[in-house]
Amino acid sequence: MGRLRALVLLVLVAGCTPAPSPDPAPSSDAPSSPAAAPTCPATADLPLDGERQGRGDSDGVTLWALFFGPKVIAGQEIKVAWRMTGAGDLTMTAQGPDGRLVKPSWGPEEHGGSTFARPGDEWGTGWVFPRSGCWTVHATRSTGRAHLVLRVG
């Protein structure tokens, strides 16, 4: 009878321990999860229509690119038209796989308009990426930032 009483007491005590508290919700200043980070495309080939959508770094900011070529090749200039929402002048840099920063070979040059029907104001740039790999183009305006990840072949 003593063993049965000890077993019942052990089960009762174990059932009374508090459950682990759930993880707290992430705060707004917590870093985003790795799953939210954009991945590098598997190929330097561009879509047939030449368009790629970037990602706004703040709510409501959009970035679109229209590439004038079938793929992005290291050492070869490629022309790109950009549409970005926000206000103010556009500045751009690209960060390469080794952390190196490059600026456009020309531009951004503001365009008055075109048939590139995406939201925001339009600019043109030329880029020469010095090496192959994954590059992130950063676009900044007074009221918005965005980026586009691309594979350079």
Side-chain angles (χ1 to χ4, degrees), residues 51-56 61-65 67 118 147-149:
E51 290 189 9
R52 292 274 316 276
Q53 184 175 12
R55 174 183 265 178
V61 175
T62 63
L63 177 69
W64 283 89
F67 290 87
R118 294 296 180 180
H147 61 275
L148 174 70
V149 178

Side-chain angles (χ1 to χ4, degrees), residues 20-127:
S21 62
D23 291 335
S27 67
S28 61
D29 59 354
S32 61
S33 68
T39 59
C40 194
T43 177
D45 294 333
L46 296 166
L48 291 177
D49 65 3
E51 290 189 9
R52 292 274 316 276
Q53 184 175 12
R55 174 183 265 178
D57 293 342
S58 54
D59 289 339
V61 175
T62 63
L63 177 69
W64 283 89
L66 176 61
F67 290 87
F68 291 84
K71 65 186 340 179
V72 184
I73 304 293
Q76 295 181 12
E77 185 175 82
I78 189 161
K79 179 182 175 182
V80 186
W82 301 91
R83 285 264 184 184
M84 184 172 171
T85 58
D89 292 335
L90 176 68
T91 58
M92 302 186 91
T93 59
Q95 186 170 11
D98 58 358
R100 178 179 179 184
L101 289 176
V102 298
K103 293 182 178 183
S105 54
W106 56 268
E109 295 175 354
E110 193 168 5
H111 290 174
S114 72
T115 59
F116 184 25
R118 294 296 180 180
D121 300 314
E122 184 175 318
W123 290 268
T125 59
W127 292 89

Side-chain angles (χ1 to χ4, degrees), residues 4-26:
L4 180 58
R5 187 178 292 198
L7 181 60
V8 169
L9 184 59
L10 182 62
V11 169
L12 288 174
V13 169
C16 293
T17 59
S21 62
D23 291 335

